[in-house]
Amino acid sequence: MKFIVIGITDNPKPCFPPEVMEIIRRGKVFSGGKRHHEIVAPFLPADAQWIDITAPIDSVFEQYHDEVVVFASGDPLFFGFANTIKRRMPDAEIVVYPTFNSLQMLAHRLVMPYHDMRIVSLTGRPWSEFDKALIERAEKIGVLTDKEHTPATIAQRMLEYGYTNYTIYVGEHLGNPSLEKVTTLTLEEAAKTEFAMPNCLILYSCNSSDSCSKKETWFGIPDNEFTLLDGREKMITKMPIRLLTLQALDLPKRHVFWDIGFCTGSVSIEARLQFPHLHIEAFEIRPECEAIIQENAHRFGIPGINVHIGDFLETDITALPHPNAVFIGGHGGELKEIMKKVLTVLTDDGIIVFNSVVAPKVTVDSKKLWDEACKSLGLQQLPPLHIQLNDNHPITILKCSR
């Protein structure tokens, strides 16, 4: 198979170089989206066969044979169809004739350098990479949108989590001389505005010389900044212990983190703040804690934590992404049962961390429960860490693997 992939813009009267015109003239099988067909139809041979690129994509590839000329938006290697071909037919020959992608064109219209721009595609994709860019305080973010992730919904999400120090630039129908439009707005304005499709946007934050306020960030969030459960200071993993717990979880190397018994959400929020690449599932039996973790997540600008309320032992976890790091912050005397359930989904290289508190009024010896569970389940215990913070009770950070 050979694919010749030609990038086009939304210009209804494209101008192709002679080399591309010759490829079109001698071509027999062509493919692209319906919008692409409308644009290039006048250039196609009279006997041309056209294959629409629509879902399901499997049926599209079943129609391809020999040599296909594909029309795609912008640069076909920039979140484009050439990448799809490479994934599905790695042995196929691919020749690419790119043009500017939409974010490049928007930067050109704004005369904005874009070599330092973080690129995020929300076209048919979840929020995760966009959230990561926000948490990392990226100064300049280029975003590819779709009908669900519109400039308005993007602006609304940013306002919800306190990322107010960005200006938004929206480009509509870029490359189409009669429809093209570029608009500069505040997030508040964008959240109330409808934009024509297709569109893309660039977010640009204030720099240090601007008067607008930047969102504060920490390495170790102070305990008193969190909303607590009933105002109880003891119902939170203290900041130094929290950071040591994250270190024990080895989160830079992990991808999916489960926080069982999150209470205030301090561990999940700190983990996502320090390691925004993580996919986090947080579990808690007390329904009142849902509002608490949501309030804290909004306060610290941490979108993307998936919250599950209810007894973990009764929660259906089969459809959730399998964790390779698990922290058990609460167990209700059922530590072994929780660990046994975790093992049904824990990856082969996964680890479990648990903090055992030694206190006079604690009737359940959690260290003993841990040791018994590890022995019964055949888990390998790793060296523990013993620590006492100020006048608080001693804590042992426990860790195990398969």
Side-chain angles (χ1 to χ4, degrees):
M1 278 292 302
K2 180 178 181 179
F3 291 90
I4 302 173
V5 192
I6 302 170
I8 62 174
T9 69
D10 264 9
N11 193 324
K13 297 180 179 180
C15 181
F16 296 113
E19 182 180 359
V20 172
M21 286 298 298
E22 178 60 22
I23 291 171
I24 296 172
R25 186 193 64 78
R26 62 176 174 79
K28 299 184 182 303
V29 180
F30 299 85
S31 189
K34 293 184 182 297
R35 182 165 53 90
H36 301 138
H37 192 194
E38 294 173 358
I39 293 172
V40 303
F43 298 89
L44 302 183
D47 59 347
Q49 176 190 355
W50 181 270
I51 301 172
D52 275 326
I53 298 177
T54 58
I57 200 68
D58 288 342
S59 63
V60 176
F61 274 85
E62 289 172 0
Q63 300 176 66
Y64 290 157
H65 56 85
D66 299 329
E67 181 175 299
V68 182
V69 179
V70 180
F71 293 95
S73 296
D75 183 346
L77 289 169
F78 183 79
F79 298 100
F81 196 70
N83 297 322
T84 304
I85 298 171
K86 286 175 67 67
R87 286 195 304 270
R88 289 180 168 267
M89 303 183 71
D91 296 329
E93 179 185 354
I94 304 174
V95 180
V96 176
Y97 292 89
T99 189
F100 290 121
N101 64 60
S102 59
L103 286 173
Q104 286 177 309
M105 288 192 287
L106 180 54
H108 295 162
R109 305 300 186 267
L110 297 169
V111 195
M112 178 186 290
Y114 59 86
H115 62 277
D116 56 347
M117 184 163 61
R118 175 83 69 89
I119 306 298
V120 174
S121 175
L122 290 175
T123 306
R125 291 174 169 85
W127 288 105
S128 53
E129 286 301 314
F130 179 74
D131 292 344
K132 182 173 181 285
L134 290 181
I135 294 171
E136 292 178 344
R137 275 58 174 178
E139 181 178 292
K140 194 183 298 179
I141 310 172
V143 185
L144 301 175
T145 64
D146 64 14
K147 293 181 180 179
E148 300 296 326
H149 304 88
T150 66
T153 58
I154 290 167
Q156 289 162 10
R157 187 175 184 85
M158 295 176 70
L159 291 171
E160 180 182 353
Y161 284 93
Y163 291 94
T164 58
N165 59 312
Y166 282 85
T167 298
I168 184 169
Y169 304 91
V170 181
E172 304 166 76
H173 289 291
L174 293 169
N176 188 322
S178 60
L179 298 177
E180 180 176 295
K181 183 179 180 182
V182 175
T183 313
T184 302
L185 310 97
T186 65
L187 292 176
E188 290 80 4
E189 292 168 337
K192 302 174 183 177
T193 305
E194 291 187 12
F195 299 89
M197 293 290 293
N199 61 58
C200 65
L201 61 90
I202 293 176
L203 297 162
Y204 190 36
S205 70
C206 302
N207 57 45
S208 58
S209 63
D210 292 316
S211 59
C212 70
S213 60
K214 283 216 168 193
K215 194 165 186 64
E216 187 173 4
T217 187
W218 295 269
F219 179 71
I221 303 172
D223 298 334
N224 60 8
E225 295 287 339
F226 285 94
T227 295
L228 304 176
L229 176 62
D230 299 326
R232 295 154 65 187
E233 294 181 1
K234 293 183 178 180
M235 298 301 289
I236 185 174
T237 303
K238 297 294 187 290
M239 186 261 284
I241 306 299
R242 196 184 316 136
L243 294 180
L244 286 171
T245 299
L246 300 187
Q247 186 276 335
L249 287 161
D250 198 18
L251 294 182
K253 300 177 183 177
R254 309 294 167 175
H255 302 288
V256 180
F257 170 52
W258 284 17
D259 180 6
I260 302 172
F262 64 72
C263 192
T264 62
S266 63
V267 172
S268 285
I269 289 169
E270 190 82 66
R272 184 108 165 105
L273 176 64
Q274 306 302 337
F275 309 103
H277 70 279
L278 288 173
H279 178 106
I280 299 181
E281 304 287 342
F283 304 83
E284 174 59 54
I285 195 169
R286 290 165 291 200
E288 62 268 32
C289 290
E290 182 172 14
I292 293 173
I293 191 174
Q294 296 293 1
E295 181 177 342
N296 285 324
H298 285 84
R299 175 176 298 177
F300 303 116
I302 308 295
I305 296 175
N306 299 316
V307 175
H308 309 270
I309 299 298
D311 188 337
F312 177 77
L313 294 176
E314 299 176 3
T315 300
D316 183 5
I317 61 174
T318 55
L320 299 179
H322 291 186
N324 53 5
V326 176
F327 173 64
I328 302 176
H331 58 86
E334 298 180 294
L335 183 59
K336 178 182 174 181
E337 289 74 17
I338 291 173
M339 293 172 70
K340 184 177 180 180
K341 185 169 183 175
V342 166
L343 288 177
T344 65
V345 292
L346 187 71
T347 61
D348 290 341
D349 64 341
I351 56 173
I352 303 173
V353 170
F354 172 69
N355 292 345
S356 173
V357 182
V358 179
K361 295 183 180 180
V362 175
T363 57
V364 178
D365 186 343
S366 58
K367 175 65 166 59
K368 183 179 179 181
L369 291 178
W370 171 267
D371 290 339
E372 292 174 350
C374 289
K375 182 178 180 180
S376 174
L377 299 172
L379 296 171
Q380 177 185 358
Q381 294 202 50
L382 301 171
L385 175 64
H386 306 282
I387 186 170
Q388 182 170 4
L389 181 64
N390 299 330
D391 296 329
N392 294 294
H393 298 301
I395 289 176
T396 302
I397 298 177
L398 302 164
K399 181 177 178 179
C400 71
S401 63
R402 290 185 183 277

